Amino acid sequence: MPQQLPLDELTLALARIRGLLLTEEKVDRAVQRLAEGIRDAFPASSGAGASLMDEHGKRTSTGATDPVVLEADAAQYELGEGPCITAWATERSVVIHDVATDDRWPLWSQAVRELSIRSVISSPLMAGTRCLGALKIYSTQPGVYDAASARPLEKLAVPAATLLDNIQSSEAPQRFTEVLASALDSRDTINRAQGFLMHLHGLDQATALQQLVELSKSSRQSLFSISTGILAGTKRTSDDGP
Amino acid sequence: MTDHELSRPDSSMGLEQEQSRLLRKALQRSGVRHGDLWLRYFSIGGTVGEYEVDAYIQSLFSLPAGQRDLLAHAANELIDELPPLPRAPYLQDLA
């Protein structure tokens, strides 16, 4: 068996990474559709939007029914404050009766004064215990929403978050690359430890591997950490040598 | 690895069946997923693809003895890494 690397598998792994990257486009489309659906479901609303954020609250994807929502949204992320960021951070819905008189986000209120946004509800997109982002609806009239109108939006947010979680991808390729790199590093380490044992005891590869597995079994340490230990020992030995 | 090597019947087919059946059982009981098992198996030097490994777990495909043991080892490493069941505290532990 001269070829030990399962090249098919590596090809598959790389294809998967590329597939994951491609789905970012799918996420944007899904978020856009979601925004449109929400607007249609809340007839009193003038517009709606959905934003996805990463673990640090950085926006990764946005869908909106019109440019006003996009502008109001962009202002939030530029200023680092606003109803959606609060909904995301507190994992609770935020209701604004009138943007003109609400003083919770002074910079943001100031920034959107010209945008004819008066009433807003923003609800967090909770997938299990993780908050993926926020949904928002707004109206050009003040006093359109109250806590009761937040409830249907919250209800909608639950299945939406679950679905988005399954297609969300912003961090997946990064994570996948890390997994692949660590798998390859582990293989490489174990291979080198095998080579060392082969050389030291004049073993063939299968026997060397068997020895490693035996060591791992009896010490209850993983094959990887046994191999790392053996190689670290080698290094010390050669350092001590002439 | 050629098909011939992969599907060569073991001298003791019964043992292979038993080994794959008990692996399947261990995976079921521990909740270790096949994909995770394959990744660990690959990480420790496994040379057989995910599809074939999956078929072996279902006892539908034959693997060489060395690869079977490597697969068992990968499964055991993952099982050993699972969090232990929670233990009941004594009053002293809560004080």
Side-chain angles (χ1 to χ4, degrees):
Chain A
M1 280 184 286
Q3 183 51 269
Q4 285 282 345
L5 259 186
L7 288 176
D8 287 355
E9 298 302 326
L10 287 176
T11 314
L12 186 69
L14 291 169
R16 277 186 189 161
I17 293 171
R18 287 182 44 204
L20 285 166
L21 285 169
L22 278 176
T23 61
E24 205 147 323
E25 198 184 311
K26 284 190 208 150
V27 174
D28 284 342
R29 211 161 43 223
V31 172
Q32 180 63 31
R33 288 274 157 78
L34 183 61
E36 289 163 10
I38 294 167
R39 182 198 46 198
D40 296 348
F42 293 84
S45 301
S46 331
S51 308
L52 295 181
M53 299 175 215
D54 66 11
E55 286 148 13
H56 311 291
K58 199 172 136 282
R59 191 171 50 154
T60 58
S61 190
T62 302
T65 54
D66 51 288
V68 174
V69 185
L70 281 181
E71 246 181 273
D73 228 39
Q76 291 195 55
Y77 297 98
E78 266 162 42
L79 299 167
E81 66 167 46
C84 291
I85 293 180
T86 301
W88 174 80
T90 59
E91 302 182 354
R92 302 180 76 115
S93 291
V94 169
V95 180
I96 306 180
H97 297 288
D98 189 354
V99 173
T101 56
D102 198 297
D103 56 4
R104 283 177 284 180
W105 308 278
L107 295 175
W108 180 74
S109 296
Q110 177 77 19
V112 300
R113 218 177 30 180
E114 307 291 312
L115 290 179
S116 67
I117 286 185
R118 297 295 292 274
S119 298
V120 181
I121 306 181
S122 180
S123 288
L125 282 163
M126 298 298 299
T129 55
R130 272 187 328 122
C131 189
L132 304 181
L135 299 180
K136 72 224 75 182
I137 50 177
Y138 82 92
S139 167
T140 52
Q141 300 303 313
V144 173
Y145 307 126
D146 54 21
S149 31
R151 242 162 271 141
L153 188 63
E154 284 166 0
K155 264 192 197 154
L156 193 76
V158 174
T162 310
L163 292 173
L164 286 170
D165 193 31
N166 281 305
I167 53 169
Q168 198 189 16
S169 62
S170 53
E171 288 150 47
Q174 168 74 19
R175 250 180 247 148
F176 201 88
T177 313
E178 281 166 15
V179 168
L180 184 64
S182 102
L184 290 176
D185 176 53
S186 161
R187 269 183 84 95
D188 186 48
T189 304
I190 292 165
N191 263 325
R192 278 185 291 133
Q194 271 178 56
F196 174 71
L197 289 183
M198 288 162 72
H199 180 74
L200 190 68
H201 302 302
L203 305 173
D204 62 40
Q205 195 174 1
T207 317
L209 178 61
Q210 220 168 1
Q211 266 201 8
L212 282 177
V213 170
E214 284 307 323
L215 271 172
S216 164
K217 269 160 71 180
S218 59
S219 68
R220 287 228 146 202
Q221 289 184 59
S222 70
L223 211 49
F224 175 68
S225 73
I226 289 285
S227 302
T228 310
I230 287 176
L231 293 172
T234 345
K235 189 162 172 295
R236 263 199 306 280
T237 321
S238 57
D239 284 350
D240 293 343
Chain B
M1 194 176 293
T2 67
D3 284 344
H4 174 70
E5 279 166 312
L6 278 177
S7 55
R8 181 178 47 206
D10 206 82
S11 55
S12 42
M13 276 303 272
L15 283 181
E16 175 165 4
Q17 288 282 332
E18 188 69 350
Q19 201 177 3
S20 85
R21 185 181 69 83
L22 291 172
L23 169 65
R24 187 164 67 237
K25 200 171 151 193
L27 295 177
Q28 273 164 4
R29 284 292 296 275
S30 59
V32 168
R33 290 180 305 180
H34 294 190
D36 293 338
L37 173 66
W38 180 81
L39 185 65
R40 176 59 64 98
Y41 159 81
F42 171 73
S43 302
I44 63 175
T47 56
V48 176
E50 194 171 357
Y51 186 73
E52 288 82 355
V53 163
D54 216 46
Y56 164 74
I57 298 170
Q58 310 297 336
S59 300
L60 299 172
F61 193 77
S62 182
L63 293 182
Q67 295 302 312
R68 271 152 41 202
D69 274 355
L70 207 55
L71 204 53
H73 194 75
N76 288 334
E77 281 194 8
L78 290 172
I79 290 167
D80 287 343
E81 288 167 15
L82 289 175
L85 288 170
R87 287 173 56 84
Y90 298 93
L91 181 58
Q92 202 184 2
D93 300 331
L94 295 172

